[in-house]
Amino acid sequence: MAAPPPPAAPAAGQHSVFVYGTLMAEEVVRVLLGRAPPSSPALLPGHRRFSLRGRVYPAILPVPDHAVSGKVFRGLTDRELHVFDLFEDEEYVKKTVEDTSEKSLAYAYIWGNEGDPDLYGEWDYEEWRKVHLKDYLEMTREFMEELGQF
């Protein structure tokens, strides 16, 4: 039996990004990009989502025998990917991962410090929406104002 073909690489200017935290909220993405790109549910195997003490957003790290649910935004332009890069905390590292839903490559923002003592438990998206979405949207609007609408 032949090995399956490797995942398809994104075309220039047509990026895919796996999101698993605050960027799952299309309201946040619309503030950042001015639109909500097409998306689909996705699962990232071999990773775990954590809460971060003192922060309202999560982190993911490679952890065997775990998987992170999220979604993949497709068709991001170079400019839109750059906005995501600027928005993500400097403690994240952008890496290429395989999106199991489409068997294609996508970027994901992985926490850079595997030994961070502030990592704990499991981050809850629905709880975040109820408690923090309104303030987070305001912070995102302020971020875009400071950025000068890039």
Side-chain angles (χ1 to χ4, degrees):
M1 185 169 170
Q14 293 295 305
H15 305 284
S16 295
V17 177
F18 174 81
V19 298
Y20 55 85
T22 61
L23 292 177
M24 288 195 304
E26 287 191 1
E27 302 95 321
V28 173
V29 174
R30 283 182 196 282
V31 171
L32 290 171
L33 305 182
R35 71 181 186 112
S39 66
S40 58
L43 190 66
L44 182 61
H47 289 77
R48 181 174 169 209
R49 177 175 28 227
F50 295 90
S51 289
L52 283 161
R53 203 169 323 297
R55 305 180 198 204
V56 299
Y57 50 84
I60 61 172
L61 285 172
V63 176
D65 302 321
H66 285 80
V68 175
S69 61
K71 65 179 164 181
V72 171
F73 285 110
R74 301 187 189 296
L76 274 73
T77 66
D78 292 339
R79 176 201 168 277
E80 290 169 333
L81 181 63
H82 188 62
V83 169
F84 273 9
D85 290 347
L86 294 171
F87 186 69
E88 291 299 332
D89 193 292
E90 64 189 19
E91 293 172 296
Y92 290 95
V93 177
K94 183 172 68 178
K95 295 188 177 182
T96 303
V97 297
E98 185 175 349
D99 161 25
T100 60
S101 64
E102 298 287 329
K103 299 291 187 221
S104 62
L105 298 179
Y107 292 115
Y109 296 93
I110 312 293
W111 196 246
N113 182 0
E114 290 187 25
D116 191 328
D118 290 332
L119 295 167
Y120 72 97
E122 176 73 22
W123 186 82
D124 185 315
Y125 174 71
E126 293 304 325
E127 179 69 16
W128 172 82
R129 280 190 69 85
K130 288 179 204 165
V131 176
H132 298 290
L133 178 59
K134 182 179 176 187
D135 289 340
Y136 201 83
L137 281 169
E138 182 57 32
M139 181 277 304
T140 305
R141 286 183 196 98
E142 290 170 4
F143 169 83
M144 290 306 290
E145 287 172 12
E146 289 175 16
L147 199 57
Q149 295 301 315
F150 187 66

